[in-house]
């Protein structure tokens, strides 16, 4: 499974960005995809995750009400709409895919929020 991320960049505080992650290769119908982020000197932490049926969605407390995760199963793509961005959201955002076999990671996309 290969994951290709896009949509990162530099934005002012209060602004918005939309990240995308497209999966290709041998994917299972039932899977979980989502985003982790890692800021300099910190551990990688979960931002949001969504199951393939969309029935289960999880968000980190720090992004609830500001970020929205969604997916298009036909395109094997997930999205992270990030609104009301804060400087503390600055990090490298990594897409992940997991199923009953393995977990896979994207290469990461930088999100920088200036104050």
């Amino acid at each position: 499974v290969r994951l290709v991320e896009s949509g990162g960049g530099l934005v002012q505080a209060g602004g918005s960005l939309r990240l995308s992650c497209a999966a290709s290769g041998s994917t299972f119908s039932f899977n979980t995809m989502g985003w982790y982020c890692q800021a300099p000197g910190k551990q990688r932490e979960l931002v949001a995750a969504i199951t393939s049926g969309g029935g289960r969605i999880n968000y980190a407390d720090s992004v609830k009400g500001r970020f929205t995760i969604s997916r298009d199963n036909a395109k094997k793509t997930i999205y992270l709409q990030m609104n009301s961005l804060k400087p503390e959201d600055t990090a490298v955002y990594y897409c992940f895919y997991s199923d009953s076999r393995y977990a896979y990671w994207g290469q990461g996309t930088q999100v920088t929020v200036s104050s």
Side-chain angles (χ1 to χ4, degrees), residues 17-19 35 47-48 67-69 78-82 93:
L17 283 173
R18 189 190 192 211
L19 305 183
W35 300 88
V47 176
F67 291 10
T68 302
I69 190 170
I78 62 168
Y79 307 94
L80 186 68
Q81 178 66 43
M82 303 187 294
Y93 285 70

Side-chain angles (χ1 to χ4, degrees), residues 13-85:
S16 299
L17 283 173
R18 189 190 192 211
L19 305 183
S20 299
C21 174
S24 61
S26 179
T27 59
F28 275 13
S29 297
F30 184 77
N31 59 72
T32 300
M33 294 182 70
W35 300 88
Y36 276 70
C37 70
Q38 187 167 19
K42 295 187 177 181
Q43 289 187 332
R44 193 174 294 190
E45 57 184 21
L46 178 68
V47 176
I50 183 169
T51 56
S52 49
R56 180 173 293 179
I57 294 176
N58 293 313
Y59 292 103
D61 288 343
S62 60
V63 306
K64 286 180 180 177
R66 300 189 297 123
F67 291 10
T68 302
I69 190 170
S70 61
R71 64 187 294 160
D72 183 334
N73 287 331
K75 295 181 179 180
K76 296 184 180 180
T77 299
I78 62 168
Y79 307 94
L80 186 68
Q81 178 66 43
M82 303 187 294
N83 298 328
S84 302
L85 282 160

